[in-house]
Amino acid sequence: MSFVERCDLNSRERETACEQLLRQVEASGIELIRLGWCDLHGVVRGKTIVASQLRQALANGIGMVSTLLLKDSSDRTAFKVFEQGIEETLPGFAGASNFTLMPDPASWHVLPWTEKTGWLQCQPFFADGRIVPLDSRHVLQQAVQRLTDRGWQMRCGLEVEFHIYRLKDPLHGADLDPDRADWPGPAPEVNLIHPGYNLLTEGWFDRAEEPLRIVQRTAQALGLPLISLEIELGPSQVEAVFDVRDVLTAADHMVLFRNATRQALRRAGYHATFMCRPPFEHIMSSGWHLHQSLCEASTGRNVFMRDAAAPGGALDARQVLSDMGASWLAGLLSHAPALTALCTSTSNGYGRFRPNAMAPQSILWGRDNRGAMLRVIGAPGDNATRIENRLGEPAANPYLYMASQIHAGLDGLDAQLQAPPATETPYSAGAATIPTSLAHAVQALQADAALCQAMGQPFVDYYSTIKKAEHQRMVQAEDATEFHKREYFGRI
């Protein structure tokens, strides 16, 4: 029995897709194939095989050390896999055992920045054929199934802010000096691509056009639904906006976009980082704004859209959102402290929650208000009616960010929660505030019974252990700036 049969992945459709892919690879002269998998931190890991091994990999996968699921953001294993008791805490991980990465033939891409190289997305399985339940993509797949059972589909649009810098010395920089190697290693030395503080100015776009062209061509060559590239307010800060797709596809696109952007730009002498606050004195924080709506799977009708405004006042969510949309909004607000741990998943991201910076500070919603955590956009009869969550950072794991929205929104629906009035002054005192550190957010996640049940207590415990280790290292760091450079700037 092949491993694909043991995993119960074999089907006529997959067999056909595999044969088509094998013929395509042979005809195109592809030499190398990267088998990629998204880890807990949203980083793509995997192995590279020669093209002649593709048939074997499609049937039986490729081995992967299981501790890759247990790494914190410095790449240290956060669990003691060689000690007694690990099987009770993390069944299947004892002794740094092997998992098997199974490629999805439908995920095939030819990488545009390198020669004769393809890419396949994978998911990890135990030796007995069971999917690894702690895999973040599987966590989202389970959340999506909750929607499917109700006849719904979630659709997401992405607004991703990030920073691009020019490398001072692409070939012999500080991060490549063997005498400075460490764990984690030093960050690269960089210059700006534009001086900032001139939002959306065409002159700054012109100065940054070379790296932005690389981003554009790479994204489009990979089939990503790029809409625009924009100059953001901060020095060297830019934004990419993507059209709506179903939630799982949107998450896959985010993983692919970050991975591809960093690699393509590095080859051209640039450094892209998706950390929230690069470690320089004069910067602006980057956010990842997630636009979300539900639609009926059978008709495509927007479940959040309201046919006519409710009789309440202008600050009533039902002026714009359907009753179900308003309850979904209320669910996101109700679980916001816990959601923060999954939407802003690095210690670095918590410096963003400041007043009057078009970033949220309090757990509020507003109608087309960019200072609120949740921005409601649309009008009665508008099929594009949606909720924009402005809580996330661009370094977040997309699968966990989006799964958290589904679970919180559905809890709001099931409990028939009512949204409070909209805010018009999101930075005024008195409202409940967003957690101020990763440690506080993780504590909120652990205390949220509904999310712990929806995501599974074993997953929440696992995630919390790794994120607590990350936060503790930051607290203990002798030089906080150097910690952020090494931990985040050079790596995400």
Side-chain angles (χ1 to χ4, degrees):
M1 176 186 291
S2 67
F3 194 74
V4 71
E5 293 172 318
R6 192 179 305 170
C7 298
D8 198 25
L9 293 175
N10 206 26
S11 65
R12 182 69 59 85
E13 292 77 16
R14 190 180 190 278
E15 288 180 3
T16 300
C18 288
E19 290 302 323
Q20 289 176 343
L21 177 56
L22 289 163
R23 290 194 296 270
Q24 180 182 346
V25 168
E26 184 177 2
S28 63
I30 291 288
E31 296 175 352
L32 295 174
I33 299 164
R34 300 183 188 179
L35 304 181
W37 161 76
C38 177
D39 74 4
L40 183 71
H41 309 285
V43 175
V44 176
R45 302 178 186 253
K47 295 186 178 182
T48 301
I49 61 174
V50 296
S52 62
Q53 293 299 304
L54 177 57
R55 183 179 293 277
Q56 171 70 11
L58 289 170
N60 293 300
I62 191 165
M64 175 192 79
V65 59
S66 59
T67 53
L68 283 180
L69 276 90
L70 309 182
K71 300 292 187 184
D72 64 19
S73 52
S74 72
D75 224 50
R76 291 174 171 85
T77 302
F79 295 84
K80 297 178 179 180
V81 297
F82 298 108
E83 296 188 4
Q84 289 185 348
I86 188 64
E87 273 298 318
E88 286 72 35
T89 304
L90 290 171
F93 286 84
S97 58
N98 241 25
F99 289 164
T100 299
L101 288 178
M102 287 302 298
D104 177 5
S107 67
W108 174 254
H109 288 91
V110 176
L111 300 184
W113 65 86
T114 186
E115 183 182 5
K116 297 182 178 179
T117 302
W119 186 87
L120 285 170
Q121 186 174 45
C122 302
Q123 282 191 262
F125 287 78
F126 289 112
D128 62 5
R130 290 178 297 119
I131 195 166
V132 177
L134 300 181
D135 173 54
S136 60
R137 192 171 190 267
H138 179 63
V139 171
L140 178 56
Q141 288 169 328
Q142 290 181 304
V144 169
Q145 187 60 51
R146 294 186 67 192
L147 296 177
T148 301
D149 291 344
R150 302 179 188 220
W152 293 337
Q153 182 187 74
M154 186 175 180
R155 294 177 62 77
C156 293
L158 314 180
E159 291 184 16
V160 187
E161 297 168 349
F162 61 107
H163 290 78
I164 301 174
Y165 298 89
R166 188 186 301 272
L167 292 165
K168 289 185 177 180
D169 188 351
L171 297 179
H172 309 98
D175 59 332
L176 297 176
D177 183 348
D179 291 327
R180 297 184 63 183
D182 204 343
W183 189 358
E189 296 174 342
V190 297
N191 288 319
L192 301 173
I193 61 168
H194 71 76
Y197 304 115
N198 211 348
L199 181 66
L200 294 178
T201 182
E202 188 176 282
W204 279 192
F205 186 96
D206 197 67
R207 293 181 68 170
E209 183 173 5
E210 181 180 71
L212 289 176
R213 285 279 191 177
I214 294 170
V215 175
Q216 169 236 320
R217 289 166 179 160
T218 301
Q220 290 183 322
L222 292 169
L224 305 183
L226 182 67
I227 293 176
S228 67
L229 293 167
E230 303 170 8
I231 296 295
E232 272 295 327
L233 180 59
S236 253
Q237 190 180 35
V238 299
E239 182 179 50
V241 180
F242 296 88
D243 204 358
V244 296
R245 292 294 184 269
D246 72 89
V247 62
L248 187 59
T249 300
D252 289 341
H253 284 172
M254 183 63 171
V255 171
L256 188 58
F257 173 69
R258 290 191 307 208
N259 191 45
T261 294
R262 285 177 53 81
Q263 293 183 60
L265 284 172
R266 177 79 198 205
R267 284 177 175 244
Y270 296 94
H271 177 69
T273 179
F274 291 85
M275 73 181 292
C276 177
R277 292 181 60 79
F280 306 111
E281 183 176 358
H282 300 292
I283 53 96
M284 294 295 292
S285 300
S286 289
W288 170 15
H289 305 151
L290 182 65
H291 294 254
Q292 56 191 279
S293 62
L294 293 184
C295 68
E296 295 175 350
S298 58
T299 66
R301 186 183 186 279
N302 187 342
V303 174
F304 287 179
M305 182 183 70
R306 190 165 201 95
D307 293 328
L315 303 183
D316 189 333
R318 294 172 300 167
Q319 288 284 306
V320 178
L321 295 171
S322 67
D323 289 355
M324 287 191 292
S327 289
W328 184 282
L329 177 75
L332 296 178
L333 292 169
S334 174
H335 295 285
L339 296 182
T340 309
L342 301 163
C343 303
T344 297
S345 56
T346 72
S347 290
N348 175 264
Y350 288 79
R352 173 171 164 260
F353 301 135
R354 301 180 177 186
N356 301 305
M358 289 201 293
Q361 184 183 36
S362 300
I363 301 170
L364 299 166
W365 77 276
R367 291 183 61 175
D368 199 10
N369 190 318
R370 286 181 167 84
M373 188 190 89
L374 301 175
R375 175 181 171 226
V376 174
I377 306 163
D382 182 358
N383 200 47
T385 296
R386 61 197 184 275
I387 299 169
E388 176 192 12
N389 193 335
R390 300 173 66 82
L391 186 61
E393 67 170 339
N397 180 306
Y399 303 114
L400 302 182
Y401 188 173
M402 297 182 190
S404 73
Q405 307 300 285
I406 294 173
H407 293 311
L410 286 178
D411 188 66
L413 280 170
D414 291 344
Q416 296 184 329
L417 298 182
Q418 300 299 310
T423 183
E424 295 180 312
T425 54
Y427 300 116
S428 296
T433 57
I434 294 166
T436 56
S437 73
L438 180 59
H440 291 151
V442 168
Q443 289 171 3
L445 175 61
Q446 292 177 300
D448 192 310
L451 280 186
C452 286
Q453 180 179 9
M455 303 193 81
Q457 191 66 53
F459 178 83
V460 172
D461 292 343
Y462 151 76
Y463 183 82
S464 300
T465 297
I466 291 178
K467 287 301 173 181
K468 285 178 180 178
E470 176 182 339
H471 177 79
Q472 190 63 29
R473 274 200 328 281
M474 186 200 71
V475 170
Q476 295 173 345
E478 295 181 4
D479 186 332
T481 299
E482 188 66 16
F483 172 88
H484 287 287
K485 285 183 178 180
R486 291 172 177 265
E487 193 89 3
Y488 305 123
F489 185 68
R491 298 162 69 93
I492 58 175

